[in-house]
Amino acid sequence: MKTAYLKYDPDKTLSHISPEIYGHFSEHLGRCIYNGIYVGKDSDISNINGIRKDAVNALKEIGIPVLRWPGGCFADEYHWHDGVGSERKPILNSNWGRVSEDNSFGTHEFFELCELLGCKAYIAGNMGSGSVKELSEWIQYITAPADTPLGSERKANGHEDPWTLEYLGIGNENWGGGGNMRPEAYADLYRQYQTFAKNYNNYDMVKVACGPNSDDYHWTEGIMQSLKPWHTGAISLHYYTIPTGEWSHKGDAVDFSEYEYYSTIAASLYMDELINRHGTIMDKYDDERKIKLIIDEWGCWYDVEKGTEPGFLYQQNTMRDAIVAAINLNIFNNHSDRVIMANLAQTMNVLQAVLLSDGESLVKTPTWQVFRLFLPHHGAELVRTSCAVPFITNDDIEIPQISCSMSKKNDELFLTLSNISLDEPCSMLIDSEKSGISFASAQIITADVHSFNDFGKEENVCIHDYSGFNITDGKLTLELPPCSVVSVKICG
Ligand code: AHR
């Protein structure tokens, strides 16, 4: 069996792991909001003002810290005023399935959802087809006191107190579907929009500018030249893992070859390079690193499940997705000096969802299990580690076998690892630079890589306690089975 080594200094913490790294993204797309999180007040499915109770509970179990809404592409065609009050204006969702929506889920319902979840709100404002006035008035409606014109409209619509809006995105993918802009043009327009995006609820709202698509370094360079920390708190990066690398044929969610598995993993690991290279450009223009990075869309994107509406982006979620989630979350932890938020696309029934529903049935996917396993990292401090790990090869792909990150909270150390190999176990030797390790406990998620959790059946992929380790002379030796995600709590 191959051996990997990890050495850590429990007294050297590097950066704060913002809980928002474990954030989520919910768009008006397919069955994410309507017939997903929101079933309507008259539904037979147990709900609170139309919001599915079991979904709320499942999201609370993974400590959902922030929710981005209403899109995505949808955001740049969303007119908020159509979605408040007793007379809602139906709309056509031109991006996703060209379906009609009755607008019954709007601003009030979104903030009620955030309140039920106990999470922060991240609104993506319409820049692509809206106006400066429309966005400025939306923020006013949300945050101004009830004795102001828009505050009193909010009060008349049933909510007297202003809400807290922590994050505001200005536009979405404005290099593409959000207006096909050049970075210079976007940056100028962004500066204008953000000037009038005033928050009246005394909160230090983070304004988020549209950052690059994947490896579009030209975009990052173009916007960073003009955006200053007093305009923007963060820029966003969108990057999806596509097994084949081709949008026209992305690969199946469940039926995939060994090579396709490894190409998915290699594509996920690429996130690290993206953060490093965009980060280098950001440092050139902002050496104090005041402008942060948000990965506000990430996850696996496969071919849509056969027999489902192509515009709804419904896909199954297997143990492969669990490994991808672990890799990405470890990368984000390790970059927590720069990455302050990441939002998985998307929460329910769309792309790499944590929840899937079929009528009354709700499934917690393998990705949900990883979010549950990583919970102790939320708000912890990243610990300095040095690792030496073996590499694995498959055809033309060569990748490290192990992904990991370590954090510390209340004197307890927490380590998350993934053995990416499909057939080779790995022995991990863990050693502290200070006092020896005195106690450890571990949990594991492991299953055949094609396994998924199905409706009405027992969970195939879930968290178990794990005893495959020993402590000798203050050193911990942990056996990592192939295709596994493991967490370890360590004292010492
Ligand atoms: O998440 C699906 C879509 O992917 C979003 O609407 C868009 O922002 C991205 O291209």
Side-chain angles (χ1 to χ4, degrees), residues 198-210:
K198 296 177 191 163
N199 188 314
Y200 297 85
N201 198 10
N202 259 344
Y203 195 87
D204 197 10
M205 178 178 75
V206 178
K207 294 175 190 167
V208 185
C210 167

Side-chain angles (χ1 to χ4, degrees), residues 457-470:
K457 299 199 180 135
E458 233 175 78
E459 279 182 343
N460 282 327
V461 187
C462 59
I463 301 172
H464 293 285
D465 287 339
Y466 186 58
S467 57
F469 64 89
N470 66 70

